[in-house]
Amino acid sequence: MVFLQSIQSVLSIILMIALGYFLKQFKWFDENFGKSISSLITKVALPASIFVSVLKYLTRDSLLQLSGSLIYPVVAVTISYLIAYGLVKLLKIRPGRRGIFMNAVVNANTIFIGLPLNIALFGEKSLPYFLIYYITNTVSTWAFGVFLISNDDPTKTKASGKKKFNWKKILPPPLLGFIVGLVFLILSIPVPSFISATLTYVGSIVTPLSLIYIGIVLYNAGLSSIRFDRDTIMALLGRFVISPIVLIVIIVFGTHLTGAHLPTMLTQTQIVQSATPMLAVLPILANEAHGDVKYATNIVTASTVLFVIVVPVLMQLIQFI
């Protein structure tokens, strides 16, 4: 029953992704449309959706309970970085791919795939639990992941100098929407009904537009260009196998050690998020650091295609946790 439900949820996601793919193929969208959708989602719709969700699904008491759950994804991400670093050394992955590989194993595409997938599988009530993983993933990506890629620049020399730290990336609009929502929640600041309704309507476009955007990205990348070399296969195993296993072990060990009982939806949300595809911005980050852009594009495309197989299997397995 659960397997069939997850299959149906994934099928609806696939259909919306296919819509974006074929509309792009039929030339309905120009070259700038994908970028425009991306900006609209990340800078406007998603912050609005998260702000409304915080006030709708969280209370002060539940906020205190959820804050303690941050320890699980934080520890899991830290261990995953260590494993990814060990694999880089063991496999002797070449410069220009090392930072990309470690980000591929550890950091997930929580915005464009993780969020709509979570809503499709568990409903909007799971958003507070999603935000726990989103915060961890965002800080991990922009505070450490980007550093790994830029530091892996094969053309970089000591004379190049250090890049300035970009606070705009560590505090992106979706995270700011979450922080502002927390301020309103903690201080009990009332939100006028017309403002709340407007933000709700704007936030409701996140899921369909995100999935259409993925379809556009897949078309631009070219499905026929996917290659499964050793580094790609190991990155996919890291993303879809190692990352969720690490989180599952941490959750099981932590709950047995502390005797705490985590909500079922919390554990399921965390595990599903840990196995979502790789960051859509990896090719962009690789290009900025003179890294292997083709490799970055290949693993992002491959993981985005394969996640439709991974999710139903994972949903079946997590019922036993």
Side-chain angles (χ1 to χ4, degrees):
M1 185 67 180
V2 175
F3 184 78
L4 290 176
Q5 182 181 353
S6 60
I7 285 286
Q8 290 177 359
S9 298
V10 171
L11 283 176
S12 66
I13 291 173
I14 293 173
L15 289 174
M16 284 187 277
I17 291 175
L19 177 63
Y21 183 93
F22 287 113
L23 289 180
K24 176 64 177 176
Q25 185 179 39
F26 296 147
K27 310 297 182 184
W28 279 42
F29 306 140
D30 61 26
E31 294 304 316
N32 294 320
F33 186 75
K35 294 179 181 178
S36 299
I37 284 184
S38 176
S39 296
L40 175 61
I41 293 170
T42 57
K43 296 178 181 179
V44 180
L46 187 55
S49 175
I50 290 175
F51 175 84
V52 172
S53 298
V54 167
L55 297 180
K56 185 176 181 180
Y57 297 112
L58 285 180
T59 63
R60 291 180 183 178
D61 292 337
S62 64
L63 182 62
L64 289 173
Q65 294 174 352
L66 289 177
S67 61
S69 303
L70 269 172
I71 188 65
Y72 296 105
V74 169
V75 172
V77 163
T78 303
I79 293 175
S80 295
Y81 269 122
L82 295 175
I83 293 174
Y85 179 76
L87 288 173
V88 165
K89 293 296 183 182
L90 180 66
L91 300 172
K92 297 180 180 179
I93 295 176
R94 66 173 184 259
R97 284 189 175 188
R98 295 170 181 172
I100 298 169
F101 180 87
M102 286 189 279
N103 272 273
V105 172
V106 180
N107 298 317
N109 189 348
T110 53
I111 296 296
F112 294 109
I113 295 183
L115 178 62
L117 176 64
N118 217 71
I119 294 174
L121 292 175
F122 308 117
E124 291 189 354
K125 290 183 179 180
S126 66
L127 277 175
Y129 306 126
F130 163 81
L131 292 171
I132 294 173
Y133 198 91
Y134 169 75
I135 294 170
T136 306
N137 191 76
T138 299
V139 174
S140 169
T141 300
W142 298 111
F144 191 59
V146 172
F147 165 78
L148 292 175
I149 294 177
S150 62
N151 199 49
D152 188 41
D153 187 340
T155 66
K156 190 176 181 181
T157 63
K158 291 183 179 180
S160 300
K162 295 181 178 179
K163 293 184 178 180
K164 293 183 178 179
F165 191 79
N166 193 341
W167 282 101
K168 290 182 179 179
K169 289 186 174 180
I170 193 67
L171 289 174
L175 188 54
L176 288 175
F178 177 66
I179 293 171
V180 173
L182 288 182
V183 171
F184 273 70
L185 176 66
I186 294 170
L187 299 180
S188 299
I189 301 175
V191 179
S193 58
F194 73 95
I195 295 293
S196 179
T198 301
L199 294 176
T200 300
Y201 287 134
V202 173
S204 65
I205 69 175
V206 170
T207 301
L209 283 187
S210 294
L211 296 172
I212 289 174
Y213 172 79
I214 295 169
I216 294 172
V217 170
L218 288 178
Y219 178 83
N220 290 335
L223 296 180
S224 61
S225 66
I226 298 177
R227 297 291 181 270
F228 292 98
D229 57 17
R230 185 202 64 172
D231 292 354
T232 298
I233 292 172
M234 291 307 298
L236 291 169
L237 286 174
R239 179 92 294 270
F240 291 136
V241 179
I242 295 175
S243 181
I245 285 178
V246 169
L247 183 58
I248 290 170
V249 170
I250 294 299
I251 289 175
V252 172
F253 179 77
T255 51
H256 279 295
L257 188 66
T258 61
H261 175 71
L262 298 178
T264 301
M265 189 175 290
L266 170 62
T267 57
Q268 291 182 345
T269 294
Q270 299 278 298
I271 294 168
V272 168
Q273 290 304 313
S274 72
T276 48
M278 299 160 193
L279 293 163
V281 295
L282 273 184
I284 298 172
L285 297 176
N287 183 62
E288 291 179 353
H290 306 100
D292 193 334
V293 178
K294 288 185 178 180
Y295 173 67
T297 303
N298 187 55
I299 59 175
V300 169
T301 306
S303 67
T304 303
V305 172
L306 290 176
F307 98 101
V308 299
I309 301 172
V310 173
V311 170
V313 175
L314 187 63
M315 284 296 294
Q316 188 71 14
L317 293 175
I318 62 179
Q319 302 304 313
F320 301 101
I321 299 173

